[in-house]
Amino acid sequence: MYPNKKGRFGIFGGRFAPETLMAALSELETAYRKVQKDKTFQKELNGYLSDYAGRPTALYYAKRLTEHFKGARIYLKREDLLHTGAHKINNTLGQVLLAKRMNKKRIIAETGAGQHGVATATAAALLGFKCEVYMGEVDMLRQRLNVERMRLLGTKVIPVKSGTRTLKDAVNETFRDWVTNVKNTYYVLGSVVGPHPYPLMVRNFQSVIGRETKQQILRKEGKFPDALVACVGGGSNSIGLFHPFFHHQNVKFIGVEAAGRGLKTGKHAATLVAGKKGVLHGSFSELLQDENGQVHPTHSVAAGLDYPGVGPEHSYYKSIGRAKYVAVTDREALKAFHLLSEIEGIIPALESAHALAYLAKFAPKLSSNEIIVLCLSGRGDKDLGEVIKDYD
Amino acid sequence: MINRIDEKFQELKKGGRKALIFYLTVGYPDMVTFMKLVTALENFGADLIELGVPFSDPVADGLTIQRTSEVALKQKINLKKSFLLAKELSKKSNIPLVFMSYYNPIYHYGLQKFAHDCKKTGISGVIIPDLPPEEATPLKNILKQDNVNLIFLIAPTSPQERMRMISKESQGFIYYVSLTGVTGAREKLSGTIKSSLHKIYRFTKKPICVGFGISKPSQAREIGKYSDGIIIGSALLNIVERYKNKRGLIKEVEKFTSEIKVALRS
């Protein structure tokens, strides 16, 4: 089973971290391996996931969306119904519980759209931790509601003013904080990126999405889906859905990235579609970079996808042809945002709207006997400001 | 042929002296001033110069080097240009030059080409803060063929078994990180440096130099007592930043370096 002992998925992954963090990463790996086998921990986590976060989430047959595209039967995995409004809480409950086991006193996290920040702030409030979240200034402006939510939850939001002032630089700042306060601080990384064991650990915490989907679709349809579709920024909701189906070769994986203003404009965040191999934030993966190996500034209307890197497991899936990665533009995503709101009464997060947008190209090509499960990773309330602005 | 870094440390040992190492961001504040600064530092008694090749995401660096890197990147400083500048420097001088950068620009440049160009332009060693020994084997093997040292860091958080492993792996010298944190000048240094160095010296005969945070002559004096040398980056760059467009720049740098040197050698 991958990753291997060095945290490698094929050639991807690893632990490219400053020496100051190497011992802490080993400590984290050991602690995580221990709670993986610890029934009390798993029971406690599952308790919170069901009674507090609202799991299992529904697998909803989107009848009108299916009729709209006149193709495959479309199911939505409703992670948007979770407490705090996105799949991020699956991971933060797991990690903050782990932090408690490790006797850490302080929690830090990065956030892009603010969903991971809110989910971390929530878990920290629930379990009694002091919490600080780094967020790019640009993102703070476009996701103001989430900034206020974090503050209400007792978390300090620290504006990041360096570099692109978005998610990438928020991750940099959180690493710098961790390098400085590593002895008492736990870093809750929000995606399947970073040095080993983060990609493994976050994937496992998010795999609950795919495990539930397996059972639910069997109950409803008596067979596995033909394709899974999910958006990919760092790649946590998509890996969470895909991973449990890895060995079921007949189930296609489609990851949808942000093409921003268009792949040709250079203003996008389509790492797997347009990137090259490299090292960022602790792991070897695909990366958007220039001809000198400097990391490229990205653009996406969805703050949660606005990231130049991607989880190493996705790079691995791409390298072995297990998953296909595509990209849709801001405009296409916005169109899908409205479509789902209007015909299903569900306002999706702009991130999830990218996955939805791909349905327009993909669902009509399939027959009505075929099934697509799409991960509706979050709800769109947080995006109203951004969407309204776009139409002004 | 012996590596210039190794040669330098042999020479220092014979003379009973400690290494004075400075870090500069390549091309900061501009290419011409940067070249002048390197020459000046050598004239003022530096034993080795670290040339910081800027990277867009320097996670191990504090505000000073983040700022200088950003300025350098805006001037389109990259590895290729850094090699050209190194070549110029090597023509005029024999001071050992070391590249300090992050792994991605080096990986992207191509490991083989990187090693050859180090050799061709007189780069004797490489320090990569986000490349621990566990991930360094491919680069290390390639650098070896061109007699370029790969220098590793030990941190205050490194447990004994890592201290032992890194001491074994590091070439030229061992870079001891004086504090748990990012680069940047500090008013006070940690009280545990002496005991940590003592532990590392039990594993190795290689020279150990201490960097991160050192900004004052008194700190240089203190650290010099129980190490083989000191590394100063941010404190020097702060002076460069303050005087960058003023006539007194080189004088201020001289004043600072000579104070450090006197303290280190006393």
Side-chain angles (χ1 to χ4, degrees), chain A residues 6 8 13-23 26 162-163 168-169 171-173 175-176 179-183 276-281 284 287 289-295, chain B residues 54-62 66 70 73 77-79 103-105 107-108 129-135 137 153-159 162 166 177 179-182 186:
Chain A
K6 293 184 86 180
R8 293 278 184 162
R15 188 177 279 168
F16 294 82
E19 176 58 26
T20 307
L21 298 180
M22 290 301 281
S26 300
S162 57
K168 165 181 87 88
D169 292 277
V171 177
N172 289 343
E173 273 315 303
F175 268 113
R176 288 181 189 121
V179 166
T180 308
N181 302 299
V182 60
K183 281 169 196 154
K276 287 201 177 87
K277 294 180 185 71
V279 172
L280 178 69
H281 297 148
F284 180 68
L287 178 62
Q289 52 188 321
D290 69 11
E291 67 283 4
N292 296 309
Q294 305 296 346
V295 180
Chain B
F55 178 50
S56 53
D57 294 82
V59 290
D61 284 302
Q66 286 176 45
E70 215 165 300
L73 284 173
I77 297 295
N78 53 29
L79 261 176
Y103 191 49
N104 196 57
Y107 175 81
H108 196 80
D130 64 344
L131 190 71
E134 287 90 335
E135 302 288 357
T137 313
L153 303 96
I154 294 181
T157 50
S158 308
R162 287 193 66 82
I166 297 165
V177 177
L179 50 86
T180 308
V182 293
R186 306 290 204 282

Side-chain angles (χ1 to χ4, degrees), chain B residues 10 57 61 64 111 124 151 154 165 170 174 179 237-238:
Chain B
Q10 285 177 8
D57 294 82
D61 284 302
T64 303
L111 302 186
S124 310
I151 298 150
I154 294 181
M165 180 270 286
S170 193
I174 293 155
L179 50 86
L237 287 169
N238 286 340

